Amino acid sequence: MADQQTEYVTLVSSDGFEFKVLRSAACLAGAIKRMLDPTSNFAEAVSNRCVFENINGVVLEKVCEYLYYNEKHKESKDVPDMDIPPELCLELLMAADYLDV
Amino acid sequence: MLAGRGGRKIRPPRRGLHGDEIDFENTWGIIASAFREIHTKNASKLSYEELYRHAYRIVLKKKGEDLYRRVRNFEHDWLSNEVRGTIHALLTPGLLANSQSIGGTTANERRFAGERFMKGLKQAWQDHQVCMSMLADVLMYMDRVYCADHRRPSIYSAAMVLFRDDILRSDPSDHSDMDVLSILNHVILEQIRMERDGDVIDKHLIKDCIYMLEGLYDSEIEAEEQRLYVTSFEEDFLASSREFYMAESELMLRESDAGAYCRHARRRIFEEQDRCRSTLSETTTLKIEKVVEDELIKNRIHELIEMESGVRYMIDNDLLEELSLIYELNARVDNKKAELTRAIQKRVVEMGTDVNSAAIVASQAAQPLSEGPDKGKAPVEKNLNQQTIAAIKWVEDVLQLKDKFDKIWKVSFDSDQPLQTALTRSFADFINASSFPRSSEYISLFIDENMKKGIKGKTENEIDLVLEKAIILLRYVQDKDLFERYYKKHLCRRLLMNKSISNDVEKQMISRMKIELGNNFTMKLEAMFKDMTISEELTAGYKTHIAQLGDPDPKRIELAINVLTSMTWPLETMGSSGDNEEGKMLKCVFPSAIERIKKGFEKFYGEKHSGRTLTWLAAMGSADIKAVFPKVPQKDGTLKERRHELNVSTYGMVILLLFNDLPADEFITFEEIQARTNIPESDLVRNLQSLAVASKTRILIKDPMSKDIKPSDRFSFNEGFQGKFHRIKVGVVTSGNKVESDRERKETERKNDGSRGFCIEAAIVRIMKQRKELSHQQLVAETLNQLAPQFKPEVNMIKKRIESLIEREYLERIENAPIDSYRYLA
């Protein structure tokens, strides 16, 4: 499993939730992309598993939702707005900044 | 407002994301040790997320500045302590030695040392690149937030700069003032030099090093022209190449011939192009090409062309391939190909002058023989023949030369237009060279010869070819009027003496000239043909006229006549070469029988065209005489009367008729003949020569027997004449078209100058009539311009003509004009 470029990667939140995400979708985030870059060969790239110590499950879920949302509407116009609960706003923004989405 | 609407509060961000107050030193410690791991290629044990999070936190805590500085210091230390040592270790003494002085180590050793060095450097560079990209990944947040905000170069490029300073610019040893970079340059150059000398080198290795140089910049600004490759290597490369090729070209010029040189130069250019593609950078291609071209071609082309085996040798030996090489090379460095053009032109003129002087020598070889006036007829004949042969040979040589250069031009010079113009100019130059005034005459003679003999038994195509050749040459001739004069003269002879083989071909020729030179030129020539046709009709008409008269004269003499319009026919040149300069044509006294016929025809002609005067040109005609020789003993002892039909010139006939009434044993002196016939002396001498001296046609006996005719000689009828054939043609010396003697030429030129005078005057008047007022310079220029298709007048002549026109009040000088000007007087 080590050197393989799997189709899905696992994103793990600080409180232990795991999300299996399409690699291409996940790589939208700059940080994840670099994390998984096989040439630099970090631990994450080897295991295809990324643990985020500072993002909790709720936020990470929303992040994953966005990643797929983006993947789905990548090429279309007039995209419907994504529903974001206001109470998550700030945390999401910080996560986005952190992940470089 | 969100809160108010939803009734829910925005949750404050959880502290976890922020991270608590962190200990910078601690965190940096973690990061630094991780970096060390990365540098030793143990990254797979590290969690990117963890490192990234640490860096993120540091930046978030506004410690970006510190982090940035620390990373840089870390890299600086790493490069200085770990990498530099390895690189310096690779600088073997041999490698260093050769950077100062060559010696001690063999080329091979040096090559290996160089390769090892480059390999090490390349390895270090690649490692550095990989590590730094990983570091940059980890520090992405710092790049994104801190560097962007503070206008710092990204950590990656900062690290590249470090590599440049700490490795490439490091001083490897105490005793050398070269840094690693210049050693690298030196090594690469040396490797390239080895390749130029035929060794095989590791192109990929060099290419990798070049990539490194291309990836680094001389200063902080990352501009194209600031790349290390451009600032440090390329210059050295070009300079060393220049040196190399300068030396090589010198050596090559000394040691090999021009053809080999060209081939070599071309190969070098391709090699350099190839090298730029495979080993160096494409951006250098043009520059190095320029260097090679400069050194191998531009600076040497002159020597190259002038070499013993240069263009001249190539032309002489038809080395088309080499010539095309030279052409290609010259075209590379010079759009106009000036050097090559110059050399070719020079050669054309040289060869043309050779042809010219060969013709002059050939025509003069026999000259001394004829100088003595007492040498008789044979040498003169031979001399004239030789001159004619020289003339024809000249034409053929010129054509050959033309063919040769045409072929070279087509095959080797890519049908280059400017070169063709240059060739044409050179041909015109030597054909019209002032040292060789005979070209017009020779070309006309060439046509004449072909019309009389050359085209016999040739197909139409071949004839076409001959005519085409003549036209080609004609194009080069400047003094077309002179040519016209000669052509008229030669054509006249051909027509009157029926020497021409085919009238069709004659007409073809004229129509070609018409196309080439215009209507004016051929008008008179065409008129000559018309005269001939009219004359035929006239002769026929006269014949029927005589028949109708019904005067059956047993001694009737048939008459065929050509009536020639005096303006169109060059009759003066047909005469006895300017003997009768006193201006009066000596009228030949015809014998009564002939005189009667002459009168008859004059009457007949007068009836048809009143007001026209006929001048009889006895010198031009010929006559058939039936002669009966008395019985003389034959070889078998029998006596036999012999009848011969003699074809003689009109003068010859007149002379022979004198002897008709003379008893066989009496004689007439030369002076007496002259007195009774009034034939011009030179014609008489020639005719008597052919009648009394030439062995085959000795119808008269001369006393004393000698080859020359003297006024005191006496002539009597040769009763014992024996001829093999019934019909005997008595040739007269001038019957053929020969090259003119010098005296004749002067005459022709004088006459030509005369007619040119009229042309010039006409042109001047035409111009002035149109312009009314004109400055002297302009007038001369326009006159030259207008007359260019006919001939090139001398400026002096134009001046004289202007003077003469002023005298005759066609023009006047404008008084007080700032420059010499004239006004037209209507």
Side-chain angles (χ1 to χ4, degrees):
Chain A
M1 173 147 163
D3 302 316
Q4 274 164 338
Q5 283 268 50
T6 50
E7 195 183 355
Y8 286 91
V9 294
T10 313
L11 307 182
V12 185
S13 71
S14 56
D15 42 4
F17 290 99
E18 294 193 7
F19 302 89
K20 295 232 172 206
V21 184
L22 207 58
R23 181 185 287 271
S24 58
C27 281
L28 176 75
I32 301 179
K33 183 166 182 272
R34 288 184 167 78
M35 221 175 269
L36 296 170
D37 190 349
T39 52
S40 53
N41 212 20
F42 281 108
E44 283 89 346
V46 176
S47 62
N48 288 316
R49 186 183 165 85
C50 309
V51 185
F52 295 100
E53 290 285 334
N54 48 1
I55 304 177
N56 64 24
V58 185
V59 179
L60 191 58
E61 187 188 2
K62 210 64 191 165
V63 169
C64 292
E65 190 189 329
Y66 174 74
L67 290 177
Y68 272 97
Y69 168 83
N70 182 282
E71 177 93 346
K72 184 177 157 198
H73 297 295
K74 224 183 326 201
E75 271 137 37
S76 49
K77 285 177 183 170
D78 299 327
V79 184
D81 285 343
M82 200 176 107
D83 178 40
I84 295 173
E87 65 274 18
L88 276 180
C89 266
L90 208 51
E91 273 177 292
L92 265 177
L93 274 174
M94 291 183 68
D97 179 49
Y98 178 72
L99 291 175
D100 188 18
V101 178
Chain B
M1 293 302 112
L2 278 171
R5 191 182 56 190
R8 281 178 287 178
K9 280 186 174 179
I10 297 177
R11 276 199 311 204
R14 286 191 24 175
R15 300 200 72 81
L17 197 60
H18 264 293
D20 303 314
E21 284 304 309
I22 51 156
D23 178 4
F24 178 76
E25 289 305 329
N26 252 346
T27 320
W28 168 246
I30 298 169
I31 292 176
S33 72
F35 283 179
R36 217 160 279 128
E37 293 294 313
I38 288 173
H39 274 303
T40 46
K41 301 184 187 166
N42 282 325
S44 55
K45 289 190 194 131
L46 301 171
S47 161
Y48 174 88
E49 196 271 341
E50 188 191 346
L51 295 174
Y52 180 70
R53 184 153 36 85
H54 286 313
Y56 168 75
R57 283 211 176 118
I58 292 176
V59 175
L60 222 53
K61 294 290 174 200
K62 309 283 183 209
K63 292 267 172 56
E65 172 78 40
D66 293 337
L67 180 62
Y68 189 81
R69 216 178 46 242
R70 293 254 180 147
V71 174
R72 228 171 50 182
N73 288 341
F74 174 83
E75 273 312 312
H76 175 67
D77 290 345
W78 176 264
L79 288 172
S80 318
N81 300 333
E82 307 287 331
V83 186
R84 194 192 289 171
T86 357
I87 298 297
H88 288 185
L90 286 168
L91 295 169
T92 60
L95 195 65
L96 283 175
N98 74 56
S99 61
Q100 288 147 358
S101 65
I102 298 173
T105 46
T106 66
N108 229 15
E109 276 171 28
R110 277 213 307 283
R111 193 173 69 178
F112 285 130
E115 276 179 12
R116 253 199 322 276
F117 168 69
M118 283 195 292
K119 255 183 208 146
L121 200 55
K122 171 192 155 196
Q123 193 57 51
W125 166 248
Q126 282 175 345
D127 286 350
H128 184 66
Q129 267 186 313
V130 170
C131 294
M132 283 325 292
S133 78
M134 288 170 76
L135 249 63
D137 283 350
V138 169
L139 300 172
M140 180 183 73
Y141 195 80
M142 180 184 78
D143 271 346
R144 203 151 56 84
V145 176
Y146 169 75
C147 295
D149 286 356
H150 294 78
R151 305 256 164 104
R152 290 298 192 93
S154 74
I155 193 69
Y156 184 81
S157 27
M160 293 300 129
V161 171
L162 284 174
F163 187 83
R164 181 193 77 200
D165 293 341
D166 288 338
I167 303 296
L168 294 183
R169 298 235 168 111
S170 66
D171 204 349
S173 56
D174 322 318
H175 53 81
S176 152
D177 53 353
M178 296 175 83
D179 56 15
V180 173
L181 181 59
S182 42
I183 292 175
L184 175 66
N185 282 350
H186 180 86
V187 168
I188 295 176
L189 290 179
E190 196 166 67
Q191 298 266 333
I192 286 172
R193 185 171 187 120
M194 285 172 191
E195 194 187 25
R196 281 188 186 137
D197 288 341
D199 278 355
V200 180
I201 57 167
D202 190 342
K203 290 182 182 174
H204 291 292
L205 186 57
I206 297 178
K207 182 84 186 170
D208 286 334
C209 290
I210 295 293
Y211 273 142
M212 174 177 82
L213 294 179
E214 280 191 297
L216 291 173
Y217 295 85
D218 198 31
S219 64
E220 305 299 321
I221 313 145
E222 304 197 345
E224 266 302 283
E225 60 274 13
Q226 283 297 323
R227 293 182 309 180
L228 272 188
Y229 174 76
V230 179
T231 56
S232 105
F233 176 73
E234 198 174 49
E235 236 165 85
D236 284 0
F237 172 64
L238 294 179
S240 77
S241 302
R242 191 175 290 275
E243 222 167 273
F244 173 80
Y245 283 117
M246 200 187 293
E248 186 178 69
S249 66
E250 227 171 81
L251 189 75
M252 288 283 298
L253 278 178
R254 256 204 318 275
E255 292 190 349
S256 56
D257 62 13
Y261 184 93
C262 291
R263 262 188 278 273
H264 185 79
R266 197 175 58 161
R267 209 189 65 225
R268 281 302 195 198
I269 289 172
F270 288 145
E271 265 177 24
E272 289 302 334
Q273 284 172 348
D274 218 41
R275 180 165 302 119
C276 284
R277 218 170 301 128
S278 67
T279 316
L280 304 177
S281 158
E282 300 266 6
T283 51
T284 312
T285 315
L286 286 179
K287 297 178 195 163
I288 185 69
E289 250 177 57
K290 173 112 178 25
V291 167
V292 181
E293 281 166 3
D294 278 358
E295 288 307 322
L296 285 187
I297 309 171
K298 206 161 164 186
N299 298 344
R300 304 287 177 184
I301 190 85
H302 184 77
E303 290 169 64
L304 180 63
I305 283 172
E306 295 299 319
M307 264 169 94
E308 207 173 303
S309 56
V311 167
R312 187 187 157 146
Y313 174 83
M314 294 175 190
I315 291 174
D316 290 356
N317 290 293
D318 283 323
L319 299 175
L320 296 177
E321 202 186 322
E322 270 86 350
L323 279 170
S324 89
L325 277 174
I326 288 236
Y327 169 78
E328 194 193 312
L329 293 183
N330 201 353
R332 257 174 191 286
V333 293
D334 179 6
N335 244 341
K336 292 205 281 292
K337 295 158 283 271
E339 278 293 333
L340 182 62
T341 312
R342 195 187 49 75
I344 295 277
Q345 279 189 311
K346 189 166 150 235
R347 191 64 197 137
V348 170
V349 173
E350 264 173 30
M351 291 177 91
T353 314
D354 281 354
V355 170
N356 283 354
S357 45
I360 290 172
V361 167
S363 68
Q364 276 171 352
Q367 206 89 330
L369 285 176
S370 68
E371 291 300 310
D374 298 331
K375 284 285 160 62
K377 166 184 160 186
V380 175
E381 178 93 308
K382 207 174 146 211
N383 176 19
L384 284 171
N385 268 338
Q386 221 153 18
Q387 294 225 22
T388 312
I389 290 167
I392 288 162
K393 184 159 180 327
W394 177 83
V395 171
E396 269 161 7
D397 284 351
V398 172
L399 285 172
Q400 222 174 5
L401 204 61
K402 164 96 178 133
D403 280 351
K404 184 185 175 95
F405 279 100
D406 273 353
K407 191 169 159 218
I408 290 175
W409 174 72
K410 230 176 255 161
V411 176
S412 303
F413 296 159
D414 205 15
S415 298
D416 184 74
Q417 208 55 45
L419 264 178
Q420 192 191 31
T421 324
L423 278 177
T424 310
R425 195 161 347 109
S426 304
F427 268 96
D429 277 356
F430 83 76
I431 286 177
N432 295 309
S434 53
S435 61
F436 188 74
R438 300 196 170 192
S439 44
S440 304
E441 186 185 358
Y442 279 4
I443 293 170
S444 177
L445 256 178
F446 171 78
I447 300 172
D448 184 60
E449 189 66 19
N450 271 305
M451 289 296 184
K452 286 194 319 207
K453 298 179 196 142
I455 57 173
K456 202 179 264 174
K458 281 191 178 164
T459 66
E460 226 163 89
N461 281 344
E462 284 167 324
I463 293 172
D464 254 17
L465 217 65
V466 171
L467 298 187
E468 186 57 41
K469 280 179 180 176
I471 292 289
I472 287 172
L473 284 184
L474 193 52
R475 250 176 242 157
Y476 292 128
V477 173
Q478 245 166 25
D479 298 337
K480 303 247 170 27
D481 59 339
L482 201 60
F483 172 79
E484 185 191 356
R485 193 170 287 272
Y486 282 114
Y487 192 79
K488 242 156 72 179
K489 178 177 142 193
H490 292 155
L491 177 65
C492 171
R493 286 246 174 86
R494 286 203 295 278
L495 290 178
L496 289 185
M497 295 179 184
N498 270 329
K499 287 274 177 61
S500 186
I501 290 174
S502 153
N503 259 341
D504 281 349
V505 178
E506 290 278 7
K507 280 177 186 150
Q508 229 177 314
M509 185 73 211
I510 285 175
S511 68
R512 267 168 191 265
M513 284 193 227
K514 198 178 193 167
I515 295 168
E516 203 60 43
L517 306 169
N519 243 344
N520 274 346
F521 187 82
T522 52
M523 221 160 56
K524 286 187 176 173
L525 301 179
E526 277 167 5
M528 285 165 77
F529 276 99
K530 213 161 138 202
D531 272 355
M532 289 307 284
T533 332
I534 292 174
S535 297
E536 258 170 50
E537 283 166 14
L538 208 59
T539 307
Y542 181 66
K543 232 181 229 168
T544 44
H545 170 73
I546 293 290
Q548 278 163 3
L549 280 185
D551 178 17
D553 185 352
K555 279 188 175 176
R556 208 188 52 183
I557 300 168
E558 285 192 19
L559 178 74
I561 198 143
N562 289 319
V563 179
L564 316 172
T565 316
S566 61
M567 283 306 287
T568 49
W569 292 72
L571 298 176
E572 70 277 21
T573 57
M574 303 296 300
S576 41
S577 52
D579 263 355
N580 39 4
E581 267 178 37
E582 303 85 48
K584 65 174 169 98
M585 284 280 275
L586 290 172
K587 280 230 174 78
C588 170
V589 178
F590 292 107
S592 55
I594 309 295
E595 190 65 25
R596 210 166 45 242
I597 296 177
K598 187 183 141 196
K599 286 267 160 59
F601 181 78
E602 273 173 359
K603 189 164 159 250
F604 168 74
Y605 190 77
E607 279 167 10
K608 280 198 151 184
H609 311 274
S610 60
R612 290 195 191 173
T613 339
L614 288 173
T615 310
W616 294 79
L617 293 170
M620 309 302 309
S622 67
D624 290 341
I625 313 172
K626 283 177 184 145
V628 183
F629 292 89
K631 293 174 180 163
V632 288
Q634 296 285 297
K635 277 175 201 155
D636 51 10
T638 60
L639 289 175
K640 202 177 156 196
E641 197 181 63
R642 288 149 301 128
R643 286 171 183 278
H644 284 290
E645 206 166 287
L646 304 175
N647 177 273
V648 294
S649 68
T650 310
Y651 284 146
M653 172 196 70
V654 172
I655 295 166
L656 285 180
L657 285 183
L658 289 179
F659 292 89
N660 233 2
D661 312 319
L662 206 70
D665 49 349
E666 286 189 29
F667 56 82
I668 315 175
T669 64
F670 178 86
E671 279 155 339
E672 214 173 326
I673 296 176
Q674 197 178 10
R676 283 173 62 183
T677 59
N678 216 2
I679 297 173
E681 183 172 331
S682 65
D683 286 332
L684 184 58
V685 168
R686 272 206 303 271
N687 278 289
L688 282 174
Q689 257 177 354
S690 52
L691 286 172
V693 178
S695 59
K696 279 184 183 164
T697 56
R698 198 172 294 156
I699 301 159
L700 299 178
I701 296 172
K702 190 169 83 78
D703 180 47
M705 275 306 282
S706 70
K707 284 207 161 175
D708 296 311
I709 309 288
K710 292 191 187 71
S712 56
D713 285 349
R714 290 168 304 179
F715 298 90
S716 59
F717 189 60
N718 179 10
E719 293 193 334
F721 176 78
Q722 303 235 3
K724 280 180 194 154
F725 306 102
H726 176 62
R727 207 181 137 86
I728 293 168
K729 185 168 166 58
V730 182
V732 182
V733 178
T734 50
S735 63
N737 274 335
K738 299 295 192 286
V739 171
E740 292 180 319
S741 67
D742 286 343
R743 196 167 48 109
E744 283 172 317
R745 173 188 324 290
K746 272 191 202 115
E747 181 65 15
T748 314
E749 271 164 14
R750 198 179 53 78
K751 280 176 183 147
N752 207 36
D753 280 352
S755 68
R756 277 182 184 190
F758 294 124
C759 286
I760 296 173
E761 279 184 6
I764 293 173
V765 169
R766 265 199 305 275
I767 293 165
M768 289 308 290
K769 198 167 186 175
Q770 193 188 352
R771 302 297 210 75
K772 304 299 180 205
E773 282 178 21
L774 212 56
S775 77
H776 177 76
Q777 286 305 327
Q778 272 177 301
L779 181 57
V780 170
E782 285 216 22
T783 310
L784 281 173
N785 202 20
Q786 203 171 81
L787 292 173
Q790 294 165 54
F791 59 92
K792 195 176 155 212
E794 284 168 37
V795 177
N796 221 359
M797 203 180 204
I798 299 179
K799 267 189 200 149
K800 274 192 195 139
R801 282 355 293 183
I802 295 176
E803 296 289 333
S804 140
L805 284 172
I806 291 172
E807 249 165 53
R808 282 179 282 161
E809 298 192 332
Y810 280 96
L811 307 176
E812 67 171 5
R813 274 185 222 279
I814 300 176
E815 299 289 331
N816 304 325
I819 36 170
D820 277 351
S821 303
Y822 307 105
R823 179 181 296 125
Y824 180 71
L825 299 175

